[in-house]
Amino acid sequence: MQKAIIFLSLILFIGCKEKSKEGIEVAAIETSSEKVKNPSESFGIVIHGGAGTILKENMTPEKETAYKKKLEEAIKIGHTILKNGGTSLEAVEKTINVLEDSPLFNAGKGAVFTNAGTNELDASIMDGSNLNAGAVAGVKTVKNPINLAKEVMVNSPHVMLSGAGAEQFATERGLEIVDPKYFYTENRMKALEKVKKKPDHPDAKSATSFYDPIIKDSKFGTVGCAALDKYGNIAAGTSTGGMTNKKWNRIGDSPIIGSGTYANNATCGVSSTGWGEYFIRGQVAYDISAMMEYKGISLQNAAKEVIQNKLTKLGGTGGIIAIDHKGNVAMEFNTAGMYRATMNADGELTIGIYKE
Ligand code: ASP
């Protein structure tokens, strides 16, 4: 009898160990949400301001400086939050706010125009500690859509809200509402006029031909951020105006969890930018995380495979930024350039625009 009890306890013990081996991530999630510092206290942050046909020969030194300054300002906001023991979610939100408020990027102020001459904004955010997520699509009056995405995640039973309902929720949550005119910028209006002057492609139903004139000289300009905090929690977020000349309340990848944004403490946090239809079809952000989770592939290799092989073969263009649970960073794109920056726990800053 005694032997049987010992044997049973042994089996139970082994069983538990096995389970915790499989569930390392889960254990980490539980402790991290209690804000227990990870032993290494490693943290880091990475951002993008869109990918596309960004060529040095088309850039003035003034423009280049302006982009770099804004990227630096944004990433330093997030880095300071992380350094002072703030959460990755807070860092992602506040960093994206800086980029949303700048007319340089296609998010918030400076968003591109729809075919109807309006601005319809999309955003999403994800908390890698519990796989909670929030997203909004097609909002026209919310100054900072990433804040609304976070409200959806934290203060609603839903993951994704759209249009008028999302705006009503924004008002109820006391977020800053602006006149749609706030989003107007002359540059983006000119871009819309230029695209509209081009003759319709005979096969305007296919994504390739519909976006043909836009893609050729496109600078996507969406903004995104992924961060790892001192508690081992990863978060990621993305905010955009979508694609110039979009019609019929088109929604891109940016507010789609798994395509435009994904975060999981066990793997990584990802934010995408590029031709949204392809990022949705390729489930780009989740695909990178899945490769790490199921195959043990490194972040660098997973990001390379998904962008340079899978997305490219599909016909999509764009890129991603990502950070893993150790603070390793990936910035992968198949376009001429991608506005991007990183900062690690030592405060080392890198800023890039073109392919190096
Ligand atoms: N991915 C965005 C979209 O398709 C565009 C962008 O990245 O600029 O809506």
Side-chain angles (χ1 to χ4, degrees):
M1 180 67 185
Q2 220 179 359
K3 262 190 189 164
I5 291 173
I6 293 171
F7 181 65
L8 257 175
S9 323
L10 201 70
I11 296 225
L12 270 174
F13 176 66
I14 292 168
C16 285
K17 267 198 102 176
E18 271 310 305
K19 208 168 166 207
S20 70
K21 221 165 106 194
E22 281 171 12
I24 289 166
E25 305 81 39
V26 179
I29 290 164
E30 278 161 7
T31 31
S32 58
S33 65
E34 286 161 22
K35 279 189 134 197
V36 176
K37 288 194 178 156
N38 66 40
S40 69
E41 286 211 358
S42 164
F43 65 93
I45 183 165
V46 54
I47 62 173
H48 72 76
T53 316
I54 309 165
L55 297 165
K56 194 156 179 80
E57 55 263 36
N58 298 337
M59 188 78 89
T60 63
E62 295 76 32
K63 239 171 123 185
E64 195 177 301
T65 309
Y67 274 106
K68 284 184 171 168
K69 268 180 85 175
K70 199 44 88 175
L71 289 169
E72 183 173 343
E73 180 192 332
I75 202 161
K76 281 188 169 165
I77 296 275
H79 188 267
T80 306
I81 291 170
L82 298 170
K83 197 172 142 198
N84 293 339
T87 65
S88 51
L89 265 182
E90 202 190 333
V92 165
E93 184 185 18
K94 295 287 182 324
T95 301
I96 289 181
N97 284 163
V98 176
L99 301 169
E100 283 179 331
D101 292 346
S102 162
L104 290 174
F105 302 96
N106 171 20
K109 174 92 187 162
V112 298
F113 284 95
T114 66
N115 179 267
T118 56
N119 305 101
E120 294 178 358
L121 314 172
D122 304 331
S124 64
I125 195 161
M126 187 156 182
D127 180 345
S129 75
N130 51 17
L131 305 190
N132 207 353
V136 290
V139 293
K140 296 177 178 170
T141 62
V142 180
K143 181 169 174 275
N144 294 104
I146 196 72
N147 300 8
L148 183 55
K150 199 179 120 196
E151 283 295 327
V152 173
M153 177 174 82
V154 177
N155 289 310
S156 92
H158 307 299
V159 168
M160 191 173 194
L161 300 181
S162 71
E167 283 175 1
Q168 185 189 332
F169 179 66
T171 309
E172 285 173 20
R173 295 301 312 163
L175 294 193
E176 190 169 351
I177 303 298
V178 290
D179 188 294
K181 280 196 218 103
Y182 164 80
F183 298 108
Y184 179 94
T185 53
E186 208 185 322
N187 277 350
R188 299 295 188 194
M189 185 44 90
K190 278 190 186 150
L192 175 67
E193 284 161 2
K194 196 172 149 200
V195 169
K196 279 182 142 184
K197 272 194 200 120
K198 301 209 174 164
D200 271 353
H201 191 283
D203 178 21
K205 272 190 289 189
S206 90
T208 317
S209 48
F210 179 74
Y211 285 122
D212 216 31
I214 307 162
I215 296 301
K216 287 220 169 78
D217 63 342
S218 112
K219 295 160 207 70
F220 292 112
T222 289
V223 307
C225 176
L228 166 73
D229 63 30
K230 289 183 177 177
Y231 318 102
N233 287 328
I234 297 176
T238 310
S239 184
T240 190
M243 286 176 77
T244 304
N245 201 30
K246 63 185 182 180
K247 281 183 180 175
W248 308 303
N249 301 122
R250 176 263 188 193
I251 298 167
D253 61 311
S254 307
I256 311 283
I257 296 301
S259 303
T261 300
Y262 198 74
N264 182 345
N265 279 8
T267 55
C268 63
V270 184
S271 170
S272 313
T273 176
W275 193 345
E277 277 70 8
Y278 289 90
F279 279 74
I280 296 174
R281 289 166 56 197
Q283 282 296 292
V284 165
Y286 176 71
D287 207 19
I288 294 170
S289 169
M291 280 192 182
M292 295 177 71
E293 187 172 10
Y294 297 123
K295 294 281 180 193
I297 297 174
S298 70
L299 173 64
Q300 299 284 345
N301 288 343
K304 200 166 180 192
E305 169 66 17
V306 171
I307 299 299
Q308 307 301 350
N309 190 20
K310 293 179 86 175
L311 179 76
T312 305
K313 275 190 189 148
L314 212 54
T317 49
I320 59 95
I321 52 97
I323 193 162
D324 73 8
H325 53 290
K326 290 189 194 126
N328 297 312
V329 157
M331 297 178 285
E332 198 68 45
F333 51 98
N334 67 0
T335 47
M338 180 167 80
Y339 298 108
R340 59 198 187 274
T342 65
M343 253 182 120
N344 64 15
D346 297 329
E348 284 161 358
L349 170 73
T350 71
I351 300 180
I353 298 181
Y354 317 104
K355 235 176 199 147
E356 254 88 43

